[in-house]
Amino acid sequence: MSTNLGKADVLILGNVITVDDIKPRAEAITVKDGVIQYVGSEKTARTLCDENTQVLDYDKNTVYPGFIEAHTHASFAGYRAIGQADLQSLPAGDLDAYRPVIAKFIEDNPGQEAYMAAGWGETGAPEPTHEFLDEILSDKPLLMNTSGGHSLLLNKCAMDLYGITAQRAKEEGFDLIHVDENGEPTGYVCEGVAIAIAGDFAKKVPTDECKKYILFWQDFAFENGYTGAVDAGSNIFIPTDVEALAELEQEGKLQLRIYSYVICPDNPDDPSAEVEKVKKIQLEKGGDHFVVTGVKAFLDGVMEAHTSWMVEEYKDQPGYYGNMRYNDEDKMVELISTAAKYKMPIHVHSEGSGATQFMLNCIEKSQAQTGNMDQRNALAHLHFVEEADIQKMADTNSVAITPPTWTPAIPGMYETECSYIGKELSDKSYPIKSFIDAGANMVYHSDYPVGGVLSIQENFYSAETRAMPRTPLYLAMTEGLVEGDFDFSSTARGLEEATSREESLKAQTINVAKMVHQEDKVGSLEIGKLANITVFDTDFLTCDAQDIMPAEVVATIVEGKVVYAK
């Protein structure tokens, strides 16, 4: 990107942290035509200005490169917020708390043919059954999605609509379609079955409605300090997603830079054809803000649904290793190799140690075929990882995408996890520091809205403390699961994997830019890069730990224009 000459359009003053190793701190930035013209002293910056230059003086506030969320779901975020009954902030698994919220949503939206609630927190037994939803609505389909999106609860009407029968449970497996002691489906379905049903449900969402969801997400991201976000599976939840993103780009309404990995089905008949489809979307629909980056695939499920693909068998079910979704090695190697031809990376959901081991082996085989060592394939979540695979992540130049906000021993979920795989293994989860020390490119994600939290502050806090912060959301989520004045610092898990503030800052800026092959445009405040900037009232590199969570976004700037101001 060339440097623009002439007097600056914008002068930005403040405590500038550049994430540029050569010039880590500065006093001022000048911007011309949306691009950074100069970074350095205020005195020099003012010589590049005239009476037409807009001055944004943030005084002692701290100016950072625009933060980039490394794994999220754009349209789904808006869909959950305004198109479904939102259960995310309620006590996890509290059906009594869910009931009035779902009923109110149905009452407020009387014309719908079917209804979805989302954000249900799975906390182990007892599992809810379709009778819970039947009591709320019996004459129309009603579905309740988990926070993670990997499981659904269906009322009887929805079960009939989607053919959830005892025979189908036998055919697909009881880990995917749960049954009672009589072999009858309970309405609780997981993974491929659940995602197919949720996808069919979302077919009813027209493109114009999907655009509203994306614009809602864009505003929400700006409010929280993000100037870019990876869409980890465009079309995964709403089939009109790609078309909506492309139209918003064409209309000039998409300002958030969305790096899209388009969804690929499990073990497709023709992996190369799936890559060709994504390349066609890239050529025909991609743009400056809808950046079609690569291909997304699911390898496994999630631990709370008992479906993570593990190397070790589950403690509570000997001989069971989880749900192996995309598990055909030849087809994965073909997918990776074909994408390498087009310089596109593969981005996979890889929760369990077995899934990660499988993927890294496939990447090694593909690299032996193609010689492409700079594809930057990415593995998201990495809940459990074999020690040898930590170094292999670095050796294959793969990207480790992890969620600091998921590292604590979250009450309810932690106990469930220990019952499935044991405390010793659970306490070794999310080896963030180990990946960094091995030399892998580490980036942070929230998986919003799946994770329920979109917070730069919380990423810094939990990455350093490995504990939950005491926030209204977590107080609500843990209600009934903890007693008295609960000490949230006691949720710290795996402190040996804690990271420094500098590492956390890079994991949310330049490292994400590198992941999506955009480090020449964003990720740091350097001459010639886009003027994508986040301003906080706090210097995260020097403040005390207790000052991280109260920090507030002062402004979010995209290409030199303020898109959010406190």
Side-chain angles (χ1 to χ4, degrees):
M1 190 177 295
S2 62
T3 303
N4 288 284
L5 303 178
K7 294 300 182 180
D9 298 323
V10 185
L11 168 64
I12 299 170
L13 303 173
N15 172 34
V16 181
I17 297 177
T18 65
V19 193
D20 173 10
D21 292 336
I22 296 173
K23 187 187 291 184
R25 295 265 181 174
E27 298 173 334
I29 300 167
T30 62
V31 180
K32 180 69 176 176
D33 297 329
V35 174
I36 295 173
Q37 180 192 45
Y38 170 77
V39 182
S41 71
E42 179 180 350
K43 181 180 179 180
T44 301
R46 287 195 179 275
T47 67
L48 300 172
C49 303
D50 61 17
E51 67 277 6
N52 297 314
T53 302
Q54 178 188 14
V55 179
L56 299 175
D57 188 351
Y58 292 111
D59 194 27
K60 295 180 181 179
N61 293 306
T62 303
V63 178
Y64 301 90
F67 286 79
I68 310 170
E69 159 61 43
H71 178 107
T72 188
H73 304 284
S75 60
F76 190 44
Y79 188 27
R80 274 202 174 179
I82 59 178
Q84 302 178 350
D86 187 5
L87 311 175
Q88 193 78 51
S89 62
L90 299 174
D94 188 340
L95 301 185
D96 289 336
Y98 294 169
R99 186 178 288 106
V101 174
I102 299 172
K104 183 68 165 57
F105 182 83
I106 294 170
E107 180 184 345
D108 292 343
N109 298 273
Q112 293 186 193
E113 296 178 3
Y115 296 89
M116 176 83 81
W120 151 40
E122 291 169 293
T123 56
E127 289 183 358
T129 64
H130 67 82
E131 285 86 358
F132 165 67
L133 295 180
D134 292 338
E135 293 172 2
I136 300 171
L137 184 69
S138 61
D139 60 344
K140 290 183 179 181
L142 173 60
L143 301 83
M144 187 168 73
N145 206 341
T146 55
S147 299
H150 288 253
S151 301
L152 281 173
L153 184 67
L154 284 63
N155 72 352
K156 188 63 170 63
C157 190
M159 291 170 64
D160 293 341
L161 175 65
Y162 290 110
I164 304 301
T165 63
Q167 181 59 36
R168 185 175 172 189
K170 289 180 182 178
E171 294 170 356
E172 303 233 16
F174 298 136
D175 57 324
L176 298 183
I177 300 176
H178 293 204
V179 297
D180 62 20
E181 64 275 11
N182 299 316
E184 292 298 322
T186 64
Y188 193 134
V189 298
C190 300
E191 298 308 328
V193 177
I195 290 171
I197 291 172
D200 184 77
F201 183 91
K203 285 180 181 177
K204 302 176 179 65
V205 177
T207 303
D208 285 347
E209 192 69 18
C210 187
K211 286 159 72 174
K212 292 179 184 177
Y213 298 153
I214 293 168
L215 291 176
F216 179 95
W217 157 247
Q218 175 173 265
D219 289 344
F220 186 69
F222 287 156
E223 182 182 342
N224 283 277
Y226 290 94
T227 61
V230 170
D231 192 9
S234 296
N235 277 9
I236 182 175
F237 295 110
I238 303 178
T240 54
D241 181 77
V242 163
E243 194 61 39
L245 285 164
E247 287 188 14
L248 288 171
E249 171 84 53
Q250 293 161 8
E251 294 164 4
K253 295 178 181 177
L254 194 62
Q255 297 172 287
L256 184 75
R257 295 181 81 83
I258 293 182
Y259 306 101
S260 171
Y261 292 81
V262 181
I263 193 66
C264 170
D266 301 348
N267 298 321
D269 293 335
D270 189 345
S272 295
E274 296 300 326
V275 176
E276 299 287 349
K277 289 177 187 176
V278 178
K279 183 62 181 177
K280 188 170 187 288
I281 292 171
Q282 186 185 66
L283 292 173
E284 295 180 357
K285 299 182 184 296
D288 290 336
H289 297 88
F290 175 36
V291 184
V292 180
T293 303
V295 183
K296 163 73 184 290
F298 279 91
L299 301 186
D300 65 343
V302 290
M303 183 51 62
E304 62 266 26
H306 206 247
T307 53
S308 292
W309 176 0
M310 302 295 291
V311 169
E312 299 181 26
E313 64 184 7
Y314 280 66
K315 300 289 186 185
D316 68 323
Q317 191 174 335
Y320 173 69
Y321 295 89
N323 185 236
M324 306 169 190
R325 290 187 54 176
Y326 198 133
N327 60 357
D328 187 309
E329 187 175 275
D330 291 340
K331 289 183 175 182
M332 179 54 78
V333 172
E334 181 182 344
L335 190 76
I336 298 168
S337 298
T338 306
K341 181 174 69 173
Y342 292 119
K343 299 181 180 179
M344 291 194 301
I346 305 297
H347 182 127
V348 296
H349 169 112
S350 187
E351 251 265 332
S353 53
T356 296
Q357 188 173 86
F358 166 84
M359 185 63 184
L360 291 173
N361 288 341
C362 290
I363 291 172
E364 279 189 323
K365 290 188 176 183
S366 173
Q367 288 176 341
Q369 293 177 8
T370 67
N372 188 338
M373 296 299 295
D374 193 35
Q375 193 173 356
R376 307 184 197 181
N377 297 299
L379 290 79
H381 311 320
L382 302 171
H383 199 157
F384 307 101
V385 185
E386 293 288 288
E387 187 172 344
D389 290 326
I390 292 172
Q391 187 59 52
K392 190 178 287 188
M393 185 78 70
D395 293 344
T396 56
N397 288 326
S398 300
V399 184
I401 311 175
T402 59
T405 57
W406 298 2
T407 60
I410 300 172
M413 294 183 68
Y414 175 67
E415 288 77 14
T416 298
E417 184 173 295
C418 290
S419 72
Y420 291 164
I421 50 126
K423 184 178 185 303
E424 182 179 356
L425 187 54
S426 177
D427 288 345
K428 293 180 180 179
S429 61
Y430 302 114
I432 297 178
K433 181 64 173 174
S434 294
F435 280 124
I436 295 173
D437 291 345
N441 184 19
M442 166 59 61
V443 301
Y444 290 170
H445 82 79
S446 69
D447 203 6
Y448 194 85
V450 171
V453 174
L454 184 72
S455 173
I456 293 161
Q457 302 92 311
E458 195 166 326
N459 281 343
F460 275 107
Y461 181 87
S462 290
E464 178 177 329
T465 67
R466 303 280 294 193
M468 296 168 66
R470 189 180 184 87
T471 66
L473 174 62
Y474 285 126
L475 285 168
M477 288 176 60
T478 57
E479 185 180 331
L481 299 175
V482 299
E483 296 180 359
D485 188 18
F486 181 67
D487 179 10
F488 278 78
S489 67
S490 68
T491 63
R493 174 171 56 163
L495 276 169
E496 69 277 5
E497 296 293 345
T499 55
S500 72
R501 308 275 183 85
E502 290 82 1
E503 289 166 337
S504 289
L505 180 57
K506 288 183 177 181
Q508 299 176 83
T509 53
I510 190 63
N511 290 2
V512 191
K514 290 176 180 177
M515 179 179 96
V516 294
H517 295 265
Q518 296 280 307
E519 67 269 31
D520 62 327
K521 296 180 181 179
V522 294
S524 61
L525 300 177
E526 298 180 67
I527 294 172
K529 290 192 177 185
L530 293 172
N532 286 2
I533 292 165
T534 306
V535 184
F536 270 95
D537 62 2
T538 302
D539 185 334
F540 291 119
L541 298 189
T542 61
C543 73
D544 292 334
Q546 66 264 24
D547 295 327
I548 294 175
M549 287 305 299
E552 293 186 345
V553 177
V554 174
T556 305
I557 300 169
V558 171
E559 295 170 36
K561 297 179 181 178
V562 177
V563 293
Y564 169 79
K566 178 182 171 184

